Amino acid sequence: MKNSDVVTLEQERKRLLAELLNFDGWAFGSLVTTQRKGNKRSYPVHYLSRSINGKNKITYISKRDFAEINIILQNGKKCRELLERISELSIQIIKNK
């Protein structure tokens, strides 16, 4: 591969790294919604499910926090995709130097 190709890969990696800084915050995990019964009616409750040290941990999410948690989880998915792309570019750069 030519030096100009490596330079192009490095520029793309720098662009993606800068894009990571645009997120206000991110988290990894999944939102789980289930039904809770009380007073002869059921209502939805939300939990954040994450794997920590190989164990599943769930955290209650209030209605008030649901929208914000949902946004940072979406950001987390985008960040993971960016990190995977950055990783691939880094490998290509090393292999082609």
Side-chain angles (χ1 to χ4, degrees):
M1 189 174 259
K2 298 177 185 175
N3 283 342
S4 63
D5 292 339
V6 171
V7 169
T8 303
L9 292 172
E10 288 174 338
Q11 289 173 344
E12 175 69 5
R13 183 176 61 179
K14 285 180 184 178
R15 185 189 67 75
L16 293 174
L17 285 168
E19 200 172 316
L20 279 175
L21 299 175
N22 292 332
F23 292 104
D24 245 356
W26 68 80
F28 299 118
S30 301
L31 276 177
V32 178
T33 301
T34 188
Q35 295 291 317
R36 188 155 210 182
K37 294 181 182 177
N39 295 333
K40 298 183 181 182
R41 65 181 184 98
S42 47
Y43 53 94
V45 290
H46 307 286
Y47 295 95
L48 172 62
S49 175
R50 302 172 286 153
S51 178
I52 299 175
N53 296 326
K55 295 186 178 183
N56 194 26
K57 176 168 175 58
I58 61 170
T59 306
Y60 173 76
I61 304 298
S62 67
K63 289 180 187 177
R64 180 190 67 208
D65 296 334
F66 179 78
E68 189 173 356
I69 293 290
N70 198 23
I71 289 169
I72 67 167
L73 288 174
Q74 289 174 4
N75 288 347
K77 288 178 184 178
K78 293 173 187 173
C79 286
R80 189 179 304 253
E81 292 170 3
L82 286 173
L83 289 169
E84 287 176 6
R85 181 67 181 133
I86 290 166
S87 177
E88 287 299 317
L89 288 171
S90 296
I91 292 168
Q92 287 179 10
I93 289 167
I94 291 169
K95 289 179 82 173
N96 293 307
K97 277 191 174 180

